[in-house]
Amino acid sequence: KVYDPEGTGFVDHKVLRDMFQNLGFGEVTDEDLQILVETGDVDQDGKISLSDFRNMLDFNKAQVAAQEAADLEREQQEAEREALREAQKAQAGEGGEGPAEPAEPAGPAEPPEPAEPAEE
């Protein structure tokens, strides 16, 4: 009855407009309302049935849940990267100098001096 005060089986356009305005979407123009109706009107009869409306709400809930899961995954990955950076700093000695420079590789060894021929 809340979404269909006249008992028509369809969501009342005034109720839809008021609902979105009350949710903080600002003024809902006639053009905005038309877009909402087109978006939620599954059978394209120009009206949103209560079934269409419920599906619209369920779809929105699924999108919100998926976005929250993705956000959580990103936060966990960032926390892991930060922990790795901190571990690398601790391993480097936390001197603020960064990791130690790798030692220069040793050059080729000097060839040995030729031995003098032994006297017999």
Side-chain angles (χ1 to χ4, degrees):
K1 282 292 191 191
V2 173
Y3 304 113
D4 180 20
E6 302 296 318
T8 63
F10 298 97
V11 176
D12 183 80
H13 287 198
K14 182 183 180 333
V15 170
L16 189 62
R17 181 190 311 262
D18 291 345
M19 183 177 61
F20 275 88
Q21 287 176 339
N22 291 337
L23 287 172
F25 288 96
E27 181 185 349
V28 177
T29 65
D30 289 341
E31 184 179 329
D32 296 332
L33 187 60
Q34 184 61 35
I35 291 170
L36 286 170
V37 171
E38 288 172 3
T39 302
D41 182 16
V42 175
D43 58 8
Q44 299 180 339
D45 63 356
K47 303 178 248 178
I48 299 177
S49 70
L50 294 178
S51 175
D52 290 343
F53 186 66
R54 287 185 193 106
N55 288 336
M56 203 166 88
L57 294 178
D58 288 342
F59 178 75
N60 186 44
K61 286 179 189 176
Q63 280 187 317
V64 168
Q67 184 61 49
E68 288 173 351
D71 290 346
L72 180 60
E73 178 70 20
R74 275 192 298 278
E75 288 172 10
Q76 288 174 336
Q77 288 173 350
E78 180 57 34
E80 289 170 2
R81 283 192 293 272
E82 183 61 29
L84 181 59
R85 284 191 292 269
E86 291 298 321
Q88 288 171 337
K89 283 182 186 177
Q91 192 174 27
E94 293 194 59
E97 299 171 12
E101 293 283 327
E104 290 289 324
E110 295 280 328
E113 293 286 327
E116 291 186 26
E119 288 180 32
E120 291 187 36

